Amino acid sequence: MVKGRNVGLALSSGAARGLAHIGVIKVFEEEGIPIHCIAGSSMGALIGALYASGIEIKVIEGLAVSLDKRRWTDWKFSGLGAMGGKKVEDLIKLLLRGKSFQDLIIPLTIVATDLISGEVVKIREGLLVPAVMASISVPGVLPPVQHQGKTLVDGGVLCRVPVEEVRDLGADVVVAVDVGGLIQETQINNFFDVVSQSISIMSSEIMKEKKVKADVLICPDVCDIGLTQFQKAEASIQEGEKAARKALTILRGLL
């Protein structure tokens, strides 16, 4: 077990590619590297919330690999989003069981975007489910979430990799996991792909200005995995493991 310095994970947005975060956490556990705090955006917020709530990473992995898409998709193409979002919310409620930020075993910040003010919102208190729903609500796909007096959408719109947010939680060593750093040609098969790829391009331009100021940057090679190809969860997780192992030497040097 590595001791001495607080390690924080900044988990990026990235839809199906974000399942690579599971692989990174698996390697940390196998190598005895503790995770003292987490900040997550979009898919990173979901994975971070599940893990910080005490769900074992093997359980999260099993869910990601085996979950039928029909369990969480409810296409409606009406109102404020193409999906109603109730199936997603019901699934997250089932997993998080009414927990709040105060119930977590690992401190967590969830990042969302205020649709009215155009500002990044850092959620660190209250119930977990609405915070996670806000962070994963891709504009046009899932309806905005009214939470803590704000109209919130996907955290990846303005903050793909929440590095400063995890540093604010007290991390001495910040490990950023970025699954959306490279924009490459990708297949556009559906409405979700159009919206998600558009957000990825926009957030990448924003991140060019901000840069990822992490102590360790892990970039799983998931460019061949489409944003909606959740059936490739196993491949995404494996790429997360590979990338994490490549970063171990640098990380251990910092610790």
Side-chain angles (χ1 to χ4, degrees):
M1 178 69 74
V2 180
K3 297 180 180 179
R5 307 187 73 190
N6 286 345
V7 178
L9 282 185
L11 304 180
S12 76
S13 59
R17 296 170 182 170
L19 297 175
H21 298 319
I22 297 171
V24 173
I25 295 173
K26 280 181 64 180
V27 170
F28 274 48
E29 283 199 349
E30 290 167 5
E31 296 296 323
I33 300 172
I35 299 168
H36 297 95
C37 51
I38 301 172
S41 183
S42 199
M43 180 57 76
L46 175 56
I47 301 299
L50 295 177
Y51 186 67
S53 72
I55 300 176
E56 293 184 3
I57 196 62
K58 288 184 178 180
V59 174
I60 299 173
E61 179 183 21
L63 181 65
V65 170
S66 63
L67 187 63
D68 191 321
K69 211 171 184 177
R70 290 172 294 183
R71 286 288 305 274
W72 56 269
T73 53
D74 51 356
W75 298 102
K76 290 189 175 181
F77 289 98
S78 62
L80 299 176
M83 283 173 53
K86 189 176 186 304
K87 283 189 176 182
V88 176
E89 186 175 11
D90 286 346
L91 178 60
I92 296 174
K93 282 181 177 178
L94 179 66
L95 294 169
L96 292 177
R97 299 181 179 277
K99 290 184 178 179
S100 68
F101 281 81
Q102 288 69 36
D103 299 318
L104 297 176
I105 61 174
I106 299 174
L108 172 72
T109 294
I110 287 178
V111 177
T113 301
D114 190 329
L115 196 59
I116 306 303
S117 69
E119 296 176 341
V120 173
V121 176
K122 307 169 188 179
I123 309 174
R124 296 173 179 155
E125 59 183 14
L127 293 173
L128 283 167
V129 171
V132 172
M133 284 299 298
S135 191
I136 68 171
S137 290
V138 178
V141 177
L142 286 167
V145 173
Q146 301 296 325
H147 184 56
Q148 297 179 351
K150 297 179 174 64
T151 303
L152 303 178
V153 295
D154 197 301
V157 172
L158 289 179
C159 183
R160 187 179 76 235
V161 191
V163 169
E164 294 305 316
E165 287 72 15
V166 77
R167 203 178 293 279
D168 290 344
L169 287 174
D172 301 309
V173 177
V174 174
V175 181
V177 186
D178 188 1
V179 300
L182 295 175
I183 297 298
Q184 296 186 355
E185 291 185 10
T186 185
Q187 289 187 342
I188 303 297
N189 298 313
N190 53 49
F191 175 78
F192 187 88
D193 285 339
V194 173
V195 176
S196 295
Q197 181 71 351
S198 299
I199 292 174
S200 294
I201 293 169
M202 179 175 60
S203 65
S204 292
E205 288 300 310
I206 293 172
M207 292 304 294
K208 283 180 182 178
E209 298 298 323
K210 296 175 65 175
K211 295 187 179 179
V212 179
K213 297 178 181 178
D215 300 297
V216 180
L217 178 59
I218 297 175
C219 296
D221 184 5
V222 288
C223 290
D224 290 337
I225 297 174
L227 293 165
T228 58
Q229 290 183 314
F230 289 93
Q231 72 274 19
K232 293 186 177 181
E234 192 170 359
S236 185
I237 293 168
Q238 288 174 353
E239 290 300 332
E241 292 182 52
K242 290 179 186 177
R245 293 196 181 282
K246 289 179 181 178
L248 284 175
T249 300
I250 296 174
L251 179 56
R252 288 193 181 280
L254 292 170
L255 295 175

